[in-house]
Amino acid sequence: QVQLVESGGGLVQAGGSLRLSCAASGRTFSGQSMGWFRQAPGKHRELVAAIAGSRDNTYYADSVKGRFTISRDNIKNTVYLQMNSLKPEDTAVYYCAARPFTSLTIAASGYDYWGQGTQVTVSS
């Protein structure tokens, strides 16, 4: 079993930055690939970014490339999402997810564990 706790969401003006954190516990962190998903009202949940267990492979949705950066600290058992140049369309609940494999996947069904979500609101 893995427990995930997100933090760092909030209200920010367009063009601003936020850093989300997700603290993991319960299993060997470096053996898991991690993802950040988001879900806006009335929309399906989408993968924003993912990182492999060994940090040698990352994925970004086209909508966030060049603005968001995913990283992980395998000592602190934490994954981060640095979000810069935020836009109103980035407004959503952001979820951290983990899968017990070192290789990453872009499918939500491939993730076994989910955090409770943190709200990110970007005002125009």
Side-chain angles (χ1 to χ4, degrees):
Q1 193 71 12
V2 174
Q3 294 78 42
L4 302 173
V5 179
E6 301 104 332
S7 61
L11 173 64
V12 65
Q13 289 188 332
S17 298
L18 283 174
R19 188 175 83 154
L20 305 183
S21 299
C22 173
S25 61
R27 291 187 65 155
T28 303
F29 184 66
S30 61
Q32 302 174 63
S33 60
M34 305 294 295
W36 283 100
F37 289 77
R38 67 185 180 188
Q39 187 166 19
K43 295 188 177 181
H44 65 276
R45 189 170 297 190
E46 63 171 347
L47 178 64
V48 174
I51 186 167
S54 59
R55 294 172 288 183
D56 61 352
N57 193 14
T58 56
Y59 165 87
Y60 294 96
D62 287 343
S63 58
V64 306
K65 280 181 181 177
R67 300 189 298 122
F68 290 12
T69 302
I70 189 170
S71 61
R72 63 189 296 160
D73 185 330
N74 287 346
I75 301 299
K76 295 183 178 179
N77 290 354
T78 302
V79 62
Y80 305 96
L81 186 68
Q82 178 66 43
M83 305 185 295
N84 299 328
S85 302
L86 282 161
K87 304 175 181 180
E89 51 263 45
D90 294 318
T91 296
V93 178
Y94 283 70
Y95 297 90
C96 174
R99 69 186 237 108
F101 301 101
T102 56
S103 59
L104 60 84
T105 181
I106 64 173
S109 59
Y111 292 83
D112 294 343
Y113 307 102
W114 295 81
Q116 80 288 353
T118 186
Q119 177 70 48
V120 172
T121 303
V122 184
S123 63
S124 56

